[in-house]
Amino acid sequence: MGRPMGGGYVIAVRGGAGRGAADREAGPVAVVAAVGPVAFMDKKTVVLRELVHTWPFPLLSFQQLLQECAHCSRALLQERPSTESMQAVILGLTARLHTPETEAGTQPLCRKHALRVLDMTGLLDDGVEQDPGTMSMWDCTAAVARTCIAQQQGGTADPGPAPIPVEVRVDLRVNRASYSFLREALRSSVGSPLRLCCRDLRAEDLPMRNTVALLQLLDAGCLRRVDLRFNNLGLRGLSVIIPHVARFQHLASLRLHYVHGDSRQPSVDGEDNFRYFLAQMGRFTCLRELSMGSSLLSGRLDQLLSTLQSPLESLELAFCALLPEDLRFLARSPHAVHLKKLDLSGNDLSGSQLEPFQGLLQAAAATLLHLELTECQLADTQLLATLPVLTRCTSLRYLGLYGNPLSMAGLKELLRDSVVQAELRTVVHPFPVDCYEGLPWPPPASVLLEASINEEKFARVEAELHQLLLASGRAHVLWTTDIYGRLAADYFSL
């Protein structure tokens, strides 16, 4: 169930999210399991390897669990409390940990059996299709923060040996409303027996100074992902924050969504900020995923990617106003042959960008697993011209084409030609233009997203696509127009 790391207990909690190769190598969760009982939480149950029991627990005592971990020097899972609620993940983990007695009821267990690690990473994020019984990052962040603050305020007056530190591994999500609360929790964790170790940080709509303050409180040895979104930082804000991010030498994923960095700014200050940002990006040694959604990088992609020390495996450049020369550079770069995930949504690939885009697909064909092309203005003509190289991506599992002006004829051609892609599992396609009434041509993406469709026509389209899948022996492949179904894979689950 894991590799030995010494005595003690590891309680590993997961929210049902997909696991990648790194997780599979380490066991049920991406942690090194300790000698002794290991608790593993899937979506509905806790499984103790040595006791071979399935224990449902209510949410109520979750904070109590962490409080007990913080001041006891030995730990065991006590008898389960009764519950009618089988809510998932942390909603289930409420076992009380205390200083136990032996079977004779007199002597406590030795310190080597104390709990050392509580792993709560991998919880699903909030989403339309999330299981309502599954704890989210928001819930986990709040619960852990409350417990850390309560532990610091309450302290411990228990006599006996000094408490053994418990490392609590978490993914944290923060916004303006929860910032002060989480900052206090991180400060309380410093030097406390209950030590927060943040694996993934997601900060939304957070001012620059607050983002920096949080980054300064995080353990540099734990963090693998920084996800900043809707922060409207601009290049100036990025140049302030990026040196604080670059100190995390093990960082594998940097996601900068809607920070509105415009590298095309003609001002001297704008150019200086961009150059400083590039210099700091060159400090990362382990970066494998980069997302720069809605940062205008026209003609500057070569400068950005050339600074990186190692090839990327996931690159998201949605709505970055890419030019043909940006795509040509990417196709020739060392990154192309390593890409597992590529997102070019919102970039016009219908004109002079089409040929360099096809060259990029050719370069990435051997490794590409996930391709997102939402709102790229690809009509039937462009899709049919791209199919020969697209179908060479034989490992492709996911293809996103929503918001493109494709007809039923184009979709059927794609369905027929993709039969050679044995790994393909999901295609998110647009509503065919045949199903709209009175579309302008070419139709803007906004019209495709907002205009009403003829439900009767679309029902016939769905039935025909389904019959074609059945006839080709691919009933397991999902063809859908649902862009909110959490179908897109996270990089770490590829």
Side-chain angles (χ1 to χ4, degrees), residues 146-159:
R146 288 191 194 99
T147 303
C148 288
I149 293 171
Q151 166 64 25
Q152 182 67 17
Q153 292 173 345
T156 178
D158 294 345

Side-chain angles (χ1 to χ4, degrees), residues 367-378:
T367 57
L368 200 59
L369 305 176
H370 186 107
L371 179 61
E372 188 67 73
L373 300 173
T374 296
E375 296 182 43
C376 287
Q377 300 185 38
L378 294 170

Side-chain angles (χ1 to χ4, degrees), residues 69-70 72 111 115-117 162-167 192-195:
C69 292
C72 75
R111 288 171 61 85
L115 179 71
R116 304 298 178 92
V117 176
I164 294 178
V166 177
E167 180 180 296
S192 168
L194 191 64
R195 298 178 181 174

Side-chain angles (χ1 to χ4, degrees), residues 270-290:
E271 187 64 27
D272 288 344
N273 287 330
F274 186 61
R275 288 179 179 175
Y276 183 72
F277 173 73
L278 295 179
Q280 295 298 312
M281 290 295 294
R283 293 173 55 188
F284 295 108
T285 58
C286 299
L287 198 66
R288 294 295 180 270
E289 177 180 48
L290 178 62

Side-chain angles (χ1 to χ4, degrees), residues 235 262-267 270-275 278 295-307 320-323 325-326 329:
L235 279 177
D262 189 348
S263 66
R264 307 172 302 177
Q265 294 178 4
S267 68
E271 187 64 27
D272 288 344
N273 287 330
F274 186 61
R275 288 179 179 175
L278 295 179
S295 293
L296 302 179
L297 296 169
S298 306
R300 308 296 291 270
L301 189 62
D302 59 337
Q303 296 178 55
L304 174 62
L305 297 184
S306 296
T307 64
C320 285
L322 298 181
L323 300 177
E325 53 263 38
D326 295 313
F329 167 79

Side-chain angles (χ1 to χ4, degrees), residues 157-390:
D158 294 345
I164 294 178
V166 177
E167 180 180 296
V168 183
R169 300 177 184 174
V170 290
D171 300 330
L172 298 176
R173 184 174 174 186
V174 59
N175 59 13
R176 288 175 185 261
S178 60
Y179 162 72
S180 297
F181 188 51
L182 182 57
R183 181 187 61 181
E184 184 180 352
L186 288 169
R187 286 177 174 173
S188 300
S189 172
V190 177
S192 168
L194 191 64
R195 298 178 181 174
L196 283 186
C197 181
C198 178
R199 183 187 69 163
D200 296 350
L201 175 69
R202 175 170 168 177
E204 298 182 7
D205 189 28
L206 206 60
M208 177 175 61
R209 65 181 182 279
N210 294 354
T211 303
V212 170
L214 278 186
L215 291 170
Q216 290 173 334
L217 290 170
L218 298 179
D219 187 336
C222 296
L223 204 64
R224 72 170 187 177
R225 167 176 282 165
V226 170
D227 185 343
L228 307 179
R229 56 182 68 195
F230 307 111
N231 296 303
N232 201 24
L233 295 169
L235 279 177
R236 179 180 175 278
L238 281 178
S239 66
V240 172
I241 285 177
I242 195 64
H244 298 280
V245 179
R247 76 181 181 90
F248 300 105
Q249 289 301 304
H250 300 293
L251 196 74
S253 170
L254 178 59
R255 301 176 64 82
L256 303 170
H257 292 268
Y258 303 104
V259 296
H260 297 113
D262 189 348
S263 66
R264 307 172 302 177
Q265 294 178 4
S267 68
V268 174
D269 286 346
E271 187 64 27
D272 288 344
N273 287 330
F274 186 61
R275 288 179 179 175
Y276 183 72
F277 173 73
L278 295 179
Q280 295 298 312
M281 290 295 294
R283 293 173 55 188
F284 295 108
T285 58
C286 299
L287 198 66
R288 294 295 180 270
E289 177 180 48
L290 178 62
S291 177
M292 296 290 294
S294 297
S295 293
L296 302 179
L297 296 169
S298 306
R300 308 296 291 270
L301 189 62
D302 59 337
Q303 296 178 55
L304 174 62
L305 297 184
S306 296
T307 64
L308 302 180
Q309 294 193 33
S310 54
L312 296 171
E313 295 182 349
S314 175
L315 181 59
E316 299 181 10
L317 298 170
F319 299 93
C320 285
L322 298 181
L323 300 177
E325 53 263 38
D326 295 313
L327 297 173
R328 290 191 188 96
F329 167 79
L330 182 54
R332 298 192 302 266
S333 75
H335 304 283
V337 295
H338 291 87
L339 286 177
K340 296 180 180 179
K341 183 176 182 179
L342 178 63
D343 185 350
L344 296 176
S345 297
N347 293 285
D348 184 356
L349 301 179
S350 64
S352 57
Q353 289 94 332
L354 183 62
E355 184 179 348
F357 164 64
Q358 293 168 346
L360 174 56
L361 278 187
Q362 178 65 44
T367 57
L368 200 59
L369 305 176
H370 186 107
L371 179 61
E372 188 67 73
L373 300 173
T374 296
E375 296 182 43
C376 287
Q377 300 185 38
L378 294 170
D380 289 0
T381 302
Q382 290 81 28
L383 178 64
L384 296 179
T386 305
L387 277 178
V389 64
L390 179 61

